[in-house]
Amino acid sequence: MSVSYNTGEQTAVLRDEFERTGYTLVRGLFGTDEVDRLRDHYMEVRHGGPRSHDFAGHTSTDRDPLKRYPRMAQMHRWDDASLQWLTDPRIDEVMTALLGRSPYAVQTMVYFKPPGSRGQALHQDNFYLKADPGTCVAAWMALDRVDEANGCLEVVPGSHRWPILCTEKADTTVSFTDVTVPLPSNGSAVPIEMEPGDVLFFHGALVHGSNPNVTTDRFRRALIGHYIEGEAERVAQYYHPVLRMDGTELPLEVAEGGGACGEWTETPDGPVALLTGTERTTRKHE
């Protein structure tokens, strides 16, 4: 569903969908001119050479399109356009409607995903961020039209109610990341097609990922911000310094890795994720 959030009734619809499915899509939150400027800006930055936190993917070869267009991360630490977008009042307004209070900002990323690129295996963001208490929330903005052909985001509705699941190895021939999470026997991901300027907001436990870009001539560029709930007291080291939405820094504790994780168990009522596993894979980010 896509909604406006200008009235109390519309805000309630927005929050209801987020609480029910784990995500909500706000169409046209940013204008075409704004998106064009951001897309051109990041292409210029990318063509300018390597940046800190670039990531071309695991088992990347010289013929991998992501070698030329690796993902950029934490741009807001050195790029004013990224910082302005990360802390934009429109994002703050939607986040506040969803969460009940203004969030804290911790990450920016740009995915270029040129033609022929691998996708990203199913995962849960808070596996990496480890925001506590509460969770993280993503704001995923399309910079191009995104659909199944160029590898749009896919989500598992309702999976935000699951615990953080134990990870397993991913198929790196189709995913640029090397870990994934298993789905229950009755689980499946659905594609989210978007236009430039649309923003998908989703919960840190929502299982999501994407398939490869199988087009020959279309990028699937996206700008992503990660936020943590305003009551959070700790987050993983990689995401420090934490920012309030006015851009000022906020000291928080560092969250440590490891701990219990969910494993699927069949019951008479269907599969249930029980915290019977122990996560031994530690990641700074992905």
Side-chain angles (χ1 to χ4, degrees):
M1 178 184 293
S2 59
V3 298
S4 175
Y5 50 94
N6 295 325
T7 69
E9 181 179 354
Q10 291 163 333
T11 295
V13 171
L14 188 80
R15 187 184 302 114
D16 175 71
E17 182 178 44
F18 184 81
E19 292 177 351
R20 179 170 44 84
T21 66
Y23 63 93
T24 192
L25 176 60
V26 179
R27 298 267 184 202
L29 187 60
F30 287 78
T32 301
D33 290 348
E34 294 175 289
V35 173
D36 289 346
R37 285 195 297 272
L38 284 167
R39 185 174 57 241
D40 292 345
H41 169 69
Y42 288 120
M43 290 299 283
E44 183 178 353
V45 173
R46 181 71 289 161
H47 291 149
R51 293 283 181 170
S52 62
H53 305 295
D54 282 355
F55 183 52
H58 294 280
T59 65
S60 185
T61 66
D62 289 340
R63 298 181 64 182
D64 189 340
L66 294 179
K67 282 284 191 179
R68 290 187 59 202
Y69 292 97
R71 181 192 67 189
M72 291 193 298
Q74 303 302 51
M75 306 87 64
H76 65 283
R77 297 178 182 174
W78 45 264
D79 177 56
D80 285 343
S82 300
L83 178 60
Q84 289 174 16
W85 181 85
L86 179 68
T87 58
D88 190 280
R90 287 165 289 187
I91 292 179
D92 191 15
E93 185 176 356
V94 175
M95 287 281 192
T96 300
L98 297 177
L99 304 175
R101 61 181 290 181
S102 185
Y104 303 140
V106 296
Q107 186 180 34
T108 43
M109 296 190 295
V110 170
Y111 286 85
F112 293 91
K113 201 168 189 179
S117 297
R118 292 176 288 173
Q120 185 171 11
L122 293 174
H123 62 284
Q124 296 165 295
D125 287 344
N126 210 42
F127 169 73
Y128 302 101
L129 279 81
K130 304 188 186 306
D132 179 62
T135 188
C136 61
V137 178
W140 198 103
M141 185 171 81
L143 296 177
D144 297 293
R145 186 179 192 281
V146 297
D147 51 38
E148 292 187 74
N150 67 355
C152 65
L153 205 65
E154 299 191 351
V155 303
V156 180
S159 57
H160 65 301
R161 299 191 185 94
W162 301 346
I164 297 300
L165 299 169
C166 302
T167 59
E168 57 187 34
K169 290 184 178 180
D171 181 357
T172 54
T173 65
V174 294
S175 170
F176 81 99
T177 54
D178 65 348
V179 297
T180 189
V181 294
L183 293 184
S185 55
N186 60 355
S188 61
V190 299
I192 306 293
E193 297 193 350
M194 299 168 63
E195 297 294 334
D198 294 351
V199 182
L200 185 72
F201 294 86
F202 57 92
H203 189 282
L206 185 80
V207 174
H208 65 286
S210 68
N211 288 316
N213 181 348
V214 298
T215 71
T216 59
D217 59 353
R218 295 169 54 210
F219 278 75
R220 192 227 63 181
R221 289 162 288 208
L223 175 58
I224 299 96
H226 278 119
Y227 305 82
I228 59 177
E229 293 191 71
E231 71 269 25
E233 298 173 0
R234 59 192 66 86
V235 68
Q237 179 66 62
Y238 177 80
Y239 304 94
H240 291 252
V242 176
L243 302 179
R244 300 180 182 89
M245 292 301 281
D246 63 4
T248 59
E249 292 188 11
L250 173 73
L252 291 184
E253 298 176 16
V254 173
E256 302 298 334
C261 56
E263 297 178 311
W264 289 108
T265 302
E266 291 294 334
T267 74
D269 296 322
V272 176
L274 302 178
L275 289 172
T276 53
T278 300
E279 185 56 67
R280 305 188 187 283
T281 302
T282 58
R283 320 287 283 202
K284 294 180 179 178
H285 64 93
E286 193 115 303

